[in-house]
Amino acid sequence: MPQQKDIVKIAIQMPGAYPQLIQLDQKKPLSAVIKEVCDGWNLPGPENYALQYADGVQTYITESNRLDIKNGCILRLTKAPGRCAEDLYKGIQSSDAGVRCDSLKELASVSTDVTFAQEFISRDGHLLLVKIVEDSNESNVIMTHTLTAFMELMDHGIVSWENLSSVFIKKIASFVNAKPTDASIQQVSLDILESMVLSSHGLFLQVKQEVTMERLIAHLQVTNQQIQTKAMALLMALLQTAGDSDRQVMFEFLNKRNLRQYIYKNIIYSSGSVQDEMAHYLYVLQSVTLNHLEPRMRTPLDCYSQEQRDILHGLRQAAFETESENSLSNERRRSLCAKEFKKLGFSNNSNPGQDLVRTPPGLLALDTMFYFAARYPDAYSRFVLENSSREDKHECPFARSSIQLTLILCEILRIGEPPSETGSDYHPIFFSQDRLMEELFCVCIQLLNKTWKEMRATQEDFDKVMQVVREQITRTLSSKPTSLELFKNKVNALNYSEILKLRQTERLHQEETLAPPVLELKERLKPELLELIRQQRLNRLCQGTMFRKISSRRRQDKLWYCRLSPNHKMLHYGDLEEDIDNPPIEILQEKSDRYKRLVDWQRLSSHEGEQRQTEQVLDLAFSITYDVEEYSLNFIAPSRTYFCLWTDGLSVLLGREMSSESMRSELEILLSMEIKLRLLDLENVPIPDSAPVIPKPPSNYNFCYDFSQTEQ
């Protein structure tokens, strides 16, 4: 008796007969199963029959695929592949046009099955189809069925495309090049030519010679979406298969013929929606086109190139109206150039080319900066001069920002990455703009300056600002803006406060999707982690911080230091003559335990009538008011980080809740890490009682990499 798992219960149909319900024994030869089925219907010659799926893709059942049959499948008894191939082969050669048409139509349908295709090709049936095309004496309907059947047979890879004659290739190309012809013939002809191009370089050269680019562009302007899609497919195949020189020539021609504008007008804008297959080809075109920027992205600046040095100095001269440099001594000229390159935001102001050695973005960053300065000189000058007038810590460095922004755009647009076979994430804005990379940079560098001011950032916040800008660009592009102006409006509307709101909404949504036990665990962990942050803040206050001293009249260079006593009872503070790291409590002249409440500098200055301070100073200012209302201790934090540390620490001393954005961020990180650790599957995992032995240090540290000259 066969095992139960080898038995499959199925139904078998045949036109004009009642279905048979059988138990198919998978260990029994298929020929024996077919014989039993034929005997059930009293059919002679079981070798002339085969089983085929009745639903979906009507594939023949063979010994190699019979294990795919599941319980409840419906099969049907039909002609064996060999018999079907023989009948269709004869029908195609019939003198009756109707019989030929019906035979070719059926052939186009059954040729999708590889078992049938092998039988038909073994009889040289594909050569018969080639002859029909070469003779071209049939009607459009018959020719469409012929080409469709040929394409289906060739898709199985049984016969090589390179065996086709030049006469056949020219005939297929003539169907594509002809203006007044049947759309179905053109569609399948474009499909055949695409497969030829992708199969070998020799066929690529023949198709490239026979089919004109002008004709392919014309096909993109028709209303038939299938023709548009197949024309795009052939165009992409030609571009991807071409060598570098051929591809460059093709791109130059397509740019002259405004290919992207044709696509934008006739496919993206007019249709309103793009089919998945077309979306893939648009993505490929975008990827292949943008990848022309890869050589510039991979090439570092050559400090010995006079042309590149001239561009760098052109950026400097466009930003600053300087006195005639020719009348200056060499030393004075170098000093002036270094000063202005520093204002431009170069890290190495004596040799700014070193900032552009990093690849990517390499020379592409220089290209984008120069394009911005030349295309929008007023915006460029405004950016540089506005930041030159700020304090050193608060200025947004143009060069450093531009280099990092160019890298971000390269990553978002995937420049240098080969197009994915299944990718379809194209940007409609690409087809409405000739120089997308450069124009996007011009919009985004101004956005960066705007976001920098909204965040009231310092140099320490550079990476945070770039993360926000990346998010602004990514979110805006994901909305599929169709023009640069629309992108500009959307990305500028997505300011820093909106980004924070979106992050909060997404975080809350993630929390809502958590299981109730996880949410309960999170609430239980929160007090413990808040206490950990409180202790960290108090310990940081005990270490102390150096502050700048600002009077009500003018800003001074005096320094003072403040630290909390180890027992958290006293604040020790005092003036310092010079910058001393971590001065001891003993040299701090003043102390106080009478702190009453924490207020912000803006409220305090309005009460005391002090002169208006800069926006950056106001953002970093806080004050402690004593029991004696006439006196207070005023602080200007060195950075936003220190502002959060001290205001949180003083809030703890005053018995208040910490409220800084730094505390919230740290709490989320700690909660996330702790929950992940608590939810780890540690069953049967031995945990050692003692720490592992620390290995001996290496003999040298030559393997270490110096990150000081690169962006993280």
Side-chain angles (χ1 to χ4, degrees):
M1 287 288 294
Q3 295 183 9
Q4 190 65 29
K5 64 180 180 180
D6 296 325
I7 301 298
V8 182
K9 297 178 180 180
I10 60 173
I12 300 180
Q13 298 175 340
M14 187 181 74
Y18 290 107
Q20 294 187 41
L21 299 177
I22 69 169
Q23 292 186 346
L24 174 63
D25 183 359
Q26 292 285 27
K27 290 188 175 181
K28 185 182 293 186
L30 196 58
S31 58
V33 175
I34 294 173
K35 185 178 185 307
E36 290 179 4
V37 173
C38 289
D39 291 344
W41 280 316
N42 296 319
L43 297 174
E47 67 276 1
N48 293 323
Y49 293 93
L51 293 176
Q52 191 179 50
Y53 285 106
D55 300 323
V57 180
Q58 298 173 358
T59 308
Y60 278 103
I61 305 298
T62 63
E63 293 290 352
S64 61
N65 66 15
R66 62 182 294 178
L67 294 179
D68 296 334
I69 302 174
K70 306 297 181 185
N71 278 321
C73 276
I74 301 176
L75 306 182
R76 70 179 178 185
L77 191 67
T78 186
K79 287 182 183 179
R83 178 184 166 192
C84 183
E86 188 66 33
D87 291 346
L88 291 177
Y89 187 83
K90 293 178 180 177
I92 292 170
Q93 300 178 79
S94 172
S95 58
D96 188 329
V99 174
R100 292 200 305 274
C101 184
D102 291 340
S103 298
L104 287 166
K105 183 178 180 180
E106 184 180 352
L107 177 64
S109 175
V110 297
S111 292
T112 57
D113 186 273
V114 64
T115 305
F116 170 83
Q118 290 171 336
E119 292 288 345
F120 191 76
I121 290 174
S122 67
R123 293 166 170 76
D124 291 333
H126 63 293
L127 298 180
L128 182 59
L129 300 181
V130 169
K131 188 175 186 307
I132 293 174
V133 174
E134 290 178 348
D135 293 343
S136 191
N137 295 323
E138 299 288 359
S139 65
N140 287 345
V141 175
I142 291 181
M143 187 59 67
T144 300
H145 293 324
T146 303
L147 294 173
T148 304
F150 176 81
M151 186 65 201
E152 295 293 348
L153 290 170
M154 296 299 291
D155 267 351
H156 296 295
I158 302 171
V159 179
S160 172
W161 286 94
E162 296 187 55
N163 294 333
L164 298 173
S165 66
S166 59
V167 176
F168 178 82
I169 297 172
K170 289 182 178 180
K171 196 65 185 179
I172 299 295
S174 70
F175 294 146
V176 173
N177 291 329
K179 293 183 180 180
T181 188
D182 187 85
S184 300
I185 292 179
Q186 285 193 330
Q187 182 179 325
V188 69
S189 296
L190 286 165
D191 214 0
I192 292 172
L193 291 178
E194 180 199 0
S195 297
M196 288 182 185
V197 169
L198 295 175
S199 64
S200 75
H201 185 68
L203 288 175
F204 157 77
L205 295 175
Q206 291 187 59
V207 174
K208 176 176 171 290
Q209 185 176 357
E210 297 296 333
V211 180
T212 64
M213 292 285 145
E214 193 74 36
R215 190 65 194 133
L216 290 179
I217 293 177
H219 283 311
L220 298 177
Q221 302 175 58
V222 301
T223 57
N224 188 316
Q225 291 188 356
Q226 291 299 321
I227 294 291
Q228 288 180 336
T229 302
K230 297 302 181 183
M232 274 294 296
L234 178 54
L235 188 57
M236 291 305 98
L238 289 167
L239 286 173
Q240 288 183 280
T241 311
D244 291 340
S245 58
D246 284 336
R247 187 182 296 118
Q248 185 62 36
V249 172
M250 292 168 68
F251 267 123
E252 289 176 0
F253 174 81
L254 294 174
N255 286 334
K256 289 179 181 178
R257 297 293 291 112
N258 298 322
L259 172 64
R260 283 194 278 184
Q261 283 77 0
Y262 278 125
I263 293 173
Y264 182 76
K265 179 181 178 182
N266 297 288
I267 297 177
I268 297 175
Y269 184 78
S270 63
S271 63
S273 61
V274 176
Q275 297 176 347
D276 291 342
E277 189 177 1
M278 176 60 83
H280 170 70
Y281 295 127
L282 295 180
Y283 156 77
V284 172
L285 176 60
Q286 171 187 293
S287 179
V288 173
T289 305
L290 288 175
N291 278 349
H292 277 278
L293 299 172
E294 184 179 8
R296 300 291 288 180
M297 183 182 75
R298 304 290 183 194
T299 305
L301 185 137
D302 182 4
C303 296
Y304 297 99
S305 169
Q306 184 62 44
E307 179 185 359
Q308 294 172 16
R309 291 204 308 269
D310 289 344
I311 293 176
L312 277 174
H313 283 282
L315 288 173
R316 176 182 62 83
Q317 292 167 348
F320 306 104
E321 294 182 4
T322 59
E323 55 186 303
S324 177
E325 298 178 8
N326 296 329
S327 61
L328 302 176
S329 64
N330 289 337
E331 183 178 353
R332 171 62 180 156
R333 187 185 300 112
R334 283 195 297 269
S335 175
L336 177 64
C337 290
K339 180 181 178 182
E340 292 180 344
F341 276 126
K342 182 179 180 181
K343 289 182 179 180
L344 266 179
F346 285 94
S347 301
N348 192 331
N349 50 39
S350 60
N351 187 7
Q354 290 296 322
D355 288 26
L356 295 162
V357 170
R358 175 191 177 195
T359 57
L363 287 177
L364 189 57
L366 182 63
D367 296 341
T368 53
M369 285 190 285
F370 183 74
Y371 183 88
F372 178 50
R375 183 78 172 82
Y376 304 100
D378 293 340
Y380 171 68
S381 299
R382 186 165 55 251
F383 185 110
V384 176
L385 296 177
E386 177 185 335
N387 285 284
S388 298
S389 61
R390 296 179 184 172
E391 295 181 54
D392 289 346
K393 286 188 177 181
H394 291 278
E395 65 180 7
C396 178
F398 172 74
R400 183 186 178 193
S401 301
S402 298
I403 293 169
Q404 191 67 9
L405 177 60
T406 304
L407 178 60
I408 287 173
L409 289 174
C410 287
E411 292 171 351
I412 292 175
L413 298 176
R414 297 175 183 173
I415 297 175
E417 297 181 19
S420 167
E421 292 183 1
T422 58
S424 59
D425 189 18
Y426 74 97
H427 300 298
I429 190 176
F430 167 79
F431 298 93
S432 67
Q433 192 66 46
D434 285 335
R435 303 189 66 171
L436 177 66
M437 179 68 182
E438 292 86 346
E439 290 293 342
L440 275 183
F441 174 85
C442 294
V443 173
C444 294
I445 192 65
Q446 297 175 77
L447 168 74
L448 191 152
N449 188 41
K450 173 175 170 285
T451 303
W452 185 282
K453 291 186 289 186
E454 290 171 352
M455 295 178 66
R456 298 175 179 178
T458 65
Q459 296 292 336
E460 295 177 354
D461 302 318
F462 181 83
D463 290 338
K464 293 181 182 178
V465 176
M466 298 311 299
Q467 289 174 2
V468 173
V469 171
R470 177 193 286 271
E471 189 172 344
Q472 289 171 315
I473 298 170
T474 304
R475 287 181 182 273
T476 305
L477 285 177
S478 66
S479 67
K480 302 292 185 184
T482 53
S483 68
L484 187 68
E485 189 63 28
L486 189 57
F487 171 83
K488 183 178 180 180
N489 293 336
K490 286 189 174 184
V491 80
N492 280 294
L494 193 63
N495 53 34
Y496 180 54
S497 62
E498 289 296 321
I499 289 291
L500 292 179
K501 290 178 183 177
L502 288 170
R503 288 177 176 177
Q504 179 67 15
T505 302
E506 291 170 357
R507 186 159 51 246
L508 291 174
H509 178 70
Q510 290 176 353
E511 290 180 356
E512 289 174 359
T513 59
L514 293 175
V518 177
L519 291 174
E520 183 181 348
L521 175 61
K522 187 174 182 179
E523 290 303 316
R524 288 176 55 189
L525 291 173
K526 189 175 292 185
E528 178 185 344
L529 296 177
L530 279 172
E531 182 59 30
L532 181 64
I533 296 174
R534 289 190 193 98
Q535 292 301 319
Q536 187 271 340
R537 296 297 194 261
L538 293 176
N539 291 338
R540 191 63 190 81
L541 263 60
C542 290
Q543 295 176 17
T545 303
M546 184 79 67
F547 296 95
R548 289 183 293 118
K549 199 166 189 178
I550 297 182
S551 69
S552 60
R553 292 186 177 181
R554 63 185 181 87
R555 190 168 301 161
Q556 299 177 348
D557 294 327
K558 289 185 177 181
L559 302 172
W560 69 289
Y561 200 88
C562 185
R563 67 190 304 172
L564 181 66
S565 62
N567 61 4
H568 302 169
K569 298 296 184 182
M570 293 283 183
L571 281 176
H572 296 262
Y573 59 95
D575 295 342
L576 295 178
E577 296 298 329
E578 56 184 5
D579 191 351
I580 302 174
D581 291 335
N582 198 20
I585 288 179
E586 290 75 16
I587 71 169
L588 301 177
Q589 305 89 351
E590 305 288 340
K591 64 181 180 180
S592 174
D593 62 349
R594 295 180 298 169
Y595 41 78
K596 182 178 180 182
R597 65 180 184 273
L598 194 67
V599 297
D600 65 65
W601 183 272
Q602 286 179 309
R603 189 181 307 139
L604 184 66
S605 63
S606 63
H607 285 319
E608 296 190 354
E610 292 184 349
Q611 294 180 352
R612 184 178 180 182
Q613 304 294 330
T614 65
E615 184 179 330
Q616 293 81 8
V617 169
L618 292 175
D619 188 51
L620 299 177
F622 58 96
S623 181
I624 297 175
T625 302
Y626 294 142
D627 295 334
V628 181
E629 294 292 343
E630 293 79 18
Y631 186 73
S632 62
L633 190 60
N634 304 323
F635 296 78
I636 303 293
S639 68
R640 190 68 189 174
T641 301
Y642 282 97
F643 176 86
C644 293
L645 288 172
W646 272 84
T647 53
D648 283 344
L650 291 171
S651 294
V652 174
L653 291 174
L654 294 169
R656 300 178 181 177
E657 294 293 331
M658 298 178 291
S659 60
S660 72
E661 65 268 20
S662 177
M663 181 277 298
R664 291 192 292 270
S665 174
E666 291 173 21
L667 179 61
E668 286 297 327
I669 292 172
L670 290 173
L671 277 172
S672 176
M673 292 174 60
E674 191 66 25
I675 288 174
K676 289 176 181 177
L677 288 172
R678 296 289 182 97
L679 296 179
L680 282 176
D681 185 7
L682 297 178
E683 187 177 357
N684 299 324
V685 176
I687 300 177
D689 296 328
S690 58
V693 179
I694 300 176
K696 294 180 180 180
S699 58
N700 62 70
Y701 293 88
N702 296 335
F703 56 84
C704 292
Y705 184 76
D706 183 10
F707 281 92
S708 60
Q709 298 299 321
T710 62
E711 293 291 342
Q712 297 299 319

